[in-house]
Amino acid sequence: MEIKQLESFAAVVRLGSFTRAAEELYISQPTVSTHIRTLEEELNTRLILRTTKSIEVTAAGKKVYDDAVSILQLRDRMLQESAGGAKRIIHLGASTIPSAYVLPEILPAFGRLHPNTFFVIHQSDSQGVIDGLTDGVFDVGLTGMPCQQENLVCRSFCRDRMVLITPVTAHFLELQARAASPVDILLQEPVILREKGSGSKKSVDRFLERAGIPEERLQVCARINDPEAIKNLVAGGLGISIVSARAARNFLLEKRLLAFELPEWANTRRLFLVYRAERAGDRRLREFMEFVVQHYAAEQESE
């Protein structure tokens, strides 16, 4: 098995096209096909089902793709380190909420203080970030859920709230005016949920468990892992959802959504910094992590 075979396969899966993969890699399309055919022969399994109009990745192909991406990322890191890039590059994995609503707050400010530190950012769900740290792909991770692995250190850095969001309609305005119970609303309306693996989904699961509501009682109309898509679908009237208050903030200010506060015992969760225990002495990582912790400590003191 050769790196070039993994590069061709990963490019085809990511771009959905042999032609576009060949263009990106600056090789011929027959060469891409040969790389993938050789890889399939070595692994003794079909990875891609190809027709004249489209390609379909098999179940085995999806697993091989995830492994190929990890291998290629590790290759890239080795090349950067050999060129001296490790002196100033941090590979950061971030789950959905931190990547969309935390990093834009902290990275510009951190960059002004540390102009020679640069970031390669990989977005995944919380479990994907934890897996990437375990595999050595990331230097540090920001997640919406804690982890229990012995080789990882998990440090809370920020408090977040979960809120029930609904469309802005006369029906929901009336419910808001009479302070209707969010539990009752959940049981009466179509609900959009996050996919498994996200910290937000785990927070919702804990809320439902403590409220004594099995998920089967909900009218789940969609499962989506993008909070921006969820907000747009709720604003458009598809259903209601429980999301991070940080994610909902802009739509609430623009009055495109209504928010119902969850009970106090259910509305708070934590965001976490996660890193490998053996990297605790890394000066660059320490500077970044202390900056993040101090930034949000000051924010919460001002609330």
Side-chain angles (χ1 to χ4, degrees):
M1 184 183 303
E2 300 180 7
I3 287 291
K4 61 186 179 182
Q5 296 166 359
L6 298 178
E7 285 179 327
S8 291
F9 173 66
V12 169
V13 174
R14 177 167 46 82
L15 298 172
S17 165
F18 279 72
T19 301
R20 292 172 62 193
E23 292 172 351
E24 180 177 279
L25 298 173
Y26 298 100
I27 58 178
S28 68
Q29 185 173 330
T31 300
V32 171
S33 298
T34 299
H35 286 168
I36 292 177
R37 184 171 63 253
T38 303
L39 185 61
E40 289 178 327
E41 290 173 354
E42 290 188 30
L43 297 176
N44 194 31
T45 187
R46 291 296 298 275
L47 303 176
I48 292 177
L49 302 178
R50 185 179 183 184
T51 68
T52 57
K53 295 183 178 180
S54 64
I55 68 168
E56 179 180 349
V57 184
T58 66
K62 293 176 181 178
K63 175 63 170 65
V64 172
Y65 173 74
D66 290 340
D67 293 339
V69 169
S70 295
I71 291 170
L72 293 172
Q73 288 174 341
L74 287 171
R75 186 275 311 269
D76 292 342
R77 284 194 59 185
M78 291 174 65
L79 292 173
Q80 290 168 353
E81 289 173 2
S82 66
K87 295 179 181 178
R88 56 179 183 174
I89 294 178
I90 294 176
H91 290 259
L92 190 155
S95 63
T96 309
I97 297 302
S99 67
Y101 309 106
V102 171
L103 293 184
E105 293 181 358
I106 60 175
L107 290 189
F110 182 81
R112 287 191 289 272
L113 294 174
H114 302 273
N116 292 323
T117 299
F118 299 87
F119 293 86
V120 176
I121 299 170
H122 312 261
Q123 195 272 325
S124 182
D125 59 25
S126 291
Q127 188 58 55
V129 173
I130 291 170
D131 292 342
L133 286 162
T134 300
D135 294 339
V137 176
F138 308 141
D139 297 314
V140 62
L142 276 65
T143 72
M145 66 183 190
C147 65
Q148 306 297 326
Q149 282 88 327
E150 291 184 359
N151 64 328
L152 298 181
V153 179
C154 188
R155 182 179 181 184
S156 170
F157 73 90
C158 178
R159 185 172 63 246
D160 193 17
R161 292 187 302 115
M162 303 298 290
V163 294
L164 176 69
I165 57 172
T166 74
V168 180
T169 66
H171 168 63
F172 288 110
L173 285 168
E174 192 274 331
L175 291 177
Q176 190 178 65
R178 60 183 174 87
S181 164
V183 173
D184 292 339
I185 298 172
L186 273 174
L187 293 174
Q188 296 167 3
E189 304 289 339
V191 180
I192 303 171
L193 294 179
R194 290 282 299 272
E195 293 280 6
K196 292 181 179 179
S198 76
S200 295
K201 179 61 166 60
K202 288 191 175 294
S203 294
V204 172
D205 289 343
R206 286 194 296 270
F207 165 63
L208 294 175
E209 182 179 2
R210 291 193 62 182
I213 304 173
E215 189 176 301
E216 294 74 21
R217 288 187 61 191
L218 301 180
Q219 305 172 50
V220 179
C221 61
R223 296 180 186 272
I224 303 172
N225 230 17
D226 179 7
E228 292 298 312
I230 290 175
K231 291 188 298 183
N232 279 303
L233 290 171
V234 171
L238 179 65
I240 64 175
S241 189
I242 296 177
V243 301
S244 160
R246 290 180 183 274
R249 182 183 300 162
N250 61 335
F251 274 48
L252 295 174
L253 290 174
E254 295 165 5
K255 298 187 177 181
R256 298 171 62 188
L257 292 173
L258 297 177
F260 291 76
E261 294 289 337
L262 299 181
E264 187 174 348
W265 51 262
N267 70 359
T268 301
R269 69 164 186 166
R270 294 280 178 175
L271 301 180
F272 298 90
L273 279 164
V274 188
Y275 58 96
R276 294 177 67 89
E278 66 265 25
R279 301 297 302 277
D282 188 303
R283 179 179 59 82
R284 292 174 305 112
L285 293 184
R286 270 205 326 273
E287 288 174 344
F288 172 68
M289 291 188 291
E290 289 304 320
F291 178 87
V292 172
V293 170
Q294 291 173 14
H295 176 89
Y296 285 101
E299 174 191 270
Q300 291 174 18
E301 286 175 1
S302 66
E303 289 179 352

